[in-house]
């Protein structure tokens, strides 16, 4: 007899029909479909019965989350093929995210214990730099996932094109040049602090140094 489900983290959970109904309804909504109560009850009953068969065949009292997902997909195939595809697509989307985070984790471990030599301008021995490099790796993965087309990604992997600083392209700009005179004139606000217009050359150079450091941290490239 089926007692429950072993989740991905190894914990136990009782079989919950409502969670299946919520999941398939979300998949239906994404493709502007509506499942009837009969359809939902059929899916739950199908999944439960097949899960019991799997548990019995393998001399177990539980099934795994991936097994439940597979059964839900099969049940949806019998009910509505569009919703079934939506369910599969979202499941694949989550799997892609897991793979992406796994790549980030592996890179973070390398940065933490080995260091990073990709950029000679950064000292990966510093804690602040390690944090920045790990965040950059996540940004790079997100950029590849959501901003590059399949053709562009394939071209990158095949070596036909190279996109510099992918880790910074999502949320900043490249080598922004600005008129320092306009910045200093009449004062300005930076970092929640108001700076008055410098009245001496010595003060101006100090302020320009602050502005340059702040601007450099908000963009990439030199």
């Amino acid at each position: 007899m089926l007692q429950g489900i072993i989740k991905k983290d190894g914990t136990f959970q009782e079989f919950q029909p409502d969670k299946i109904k919520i999941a398939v309804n979300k998949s239906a909504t994404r493709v502007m479909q509506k499942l009837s109560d009969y359809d939902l009850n059929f899916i739950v009953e199908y999944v439960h019965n097949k899960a019991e068969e799997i548990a019995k065949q393998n001399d177990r009292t539980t099934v795994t989350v991936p097994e439940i997902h597979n059964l839900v997909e099969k049940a949806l195939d019998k009910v509505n093929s569009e919703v079934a595809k939506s369910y599969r697509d979202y499941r694949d989307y989550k799997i892609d995210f897991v793979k992406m985070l796994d790549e980030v984790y592996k890179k973070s471990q390398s940065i933490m214990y080995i260091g990073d030599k990709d950029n000679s301008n950064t000292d990966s021995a510093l804690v602040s730099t390690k944090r920045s490099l790990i965040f950059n790796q996540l940004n790079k993965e997100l950029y590849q996932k959501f901003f590059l087309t399949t053709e562009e990604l394939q071209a990158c992997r095949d070596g036909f094109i190279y996109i510099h600083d992918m880790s910074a392209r999502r949320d900043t700009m490249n080598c922004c040049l600005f008129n320092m005179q306009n910045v200093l004139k009449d004062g300005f606000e930076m970092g929640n602090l108001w700076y008055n217009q410098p009245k001496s050359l010595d003060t101006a150079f100090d302020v320009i140094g602050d502005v340059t450091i702040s601007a450099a941290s908000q963009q990439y490239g030199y």
Side-chain angles (χ1 to χ4, degrees):
M1 181 179 177
L2 181 68
Q3 293 184 357
I5 300 167
I6 300 299
K7 300 181 69 176
K8 294 175 184 176
D9 60 3
T11 59
F12 172 84
Q13 184 179 72
E14 293 182 355
F15 183 82
Q16 297 180 0
D18 287 343
K19 293 189 71 172
I20 294 176
K21 291 181 180 180
I22 291 171
V24 296
N25 270 327
K26 286 181 178 179
S27 296
T29 301
R30 281 192 288 271
V31 290
M32 294 182 289
Q33 298 282 330
K34 184 173 177 60
L35 298 175
S36 66
D37 290 339
Y38 175 83
D39 292 334
L40 293 172
N41 290 331
F42 169 81
I43 293 168
V44 169
E45 185 177 354
Y46 178 92
V47 171
H48 186 269
N49 291 340
K50 292 296 182 180
E52 282 196 326
E53 289 180 17
I54 292 173
K56 186 176 180 180
Q57 289 171 2
N58 293 277
D59 195 25
R60 305 191 322 241
T61 57
T62 60
V63 291
T64 63
V65 168
E67 288 171 333
I68 290 293
H69 280 311
N70 290 336
L71 293 176
V72 172
E73 289 176 9
K74 290 179 181 178
L76 283 171
D77 281 331
K78 297 177 180 295
V79 172
N80 189 309
S81 59
E82 285 189 61
V83 179
K85 183 179 184 305
S86 172
Y87 188 90
R88 285 192 181 92
D89 289 344
Y90 184 67
R91 185 184 177 190
D92 292 342
Y93 171 80
K94 292 200 295 184
I95 291 172
D96 286 344
F97 250 89
V98 170
K99 291 179 180 177
M100 182 180 70
L101 291 176
D102 185 56
E103 289 298 318
V104 174
Y105 174 74
K106 287 189 288 188
K107 182 66 175 179
S108 71
Q109 293 298 98
S110 173
I111 291 170
M112 291 295 292
Y113 298 107
I114 300 175
D116 183 83
K117 303 297 182 184
D118 290 345
N119 191 336
S120 60
N121 294 318
T122 57
D123 181 4
S124 59
L126 300 175
V127 173
S128 58
T129 306
K130 290 180 189 290
R131 290 177 175 175
S132 176
L133 290 170
I134 293 170
F135 175 74
N136 285 348
Q137 182 64 25
L138 174 61
N139 250 355
K140 179 180 178 180
E141 295 289 339
L142 290 172
Y143 181 79
Q144 291 175 332
K145 175 70 177 174
F146 295 107
F147 286 83
L148 295 184
T149 64
T150 303
E151 291 78 11
E152 290 169 339
L153 193 57
Q154 189 65 54
C156 286
R157 290 176 178 172
D158 292 342
F160 289 105
I161 61 174
Y162 171 72
I163 301 176
H164 188 58
D165 287 331
M166 274 196 281
S167 61
R169 290 181 176 271
R170 284 184 61 250
D171 51 10
T172 183
M173 62 192 75
N174 178 256
C175 298
C176 174
L177 302 178
F178 52 88
N179 189 323
M180 187 63 73
Q181 180 181 353
N182 288 342
V183 174
L184 300 180
K185 186 178 180 181
D186 299 325
F188 61 95
E189 185 176 354
M190 181 174 67
N192 296 324
L193 182 65
W194 180 260
Y195 286 72
N196 292 319
Q197 180 176 332
K199 292 182 172 56
S200 69
L201 194 60
D202 185 51
T203 303
F205 279 125
D206 288 340
V207 174
I208 289 172
D210 291 344
V211 171
T212 302
I213 291 172
S214 178
S217 67
Q218 307 302 322
Q219 56 187 288
Y220 65 96
Y222 298 95

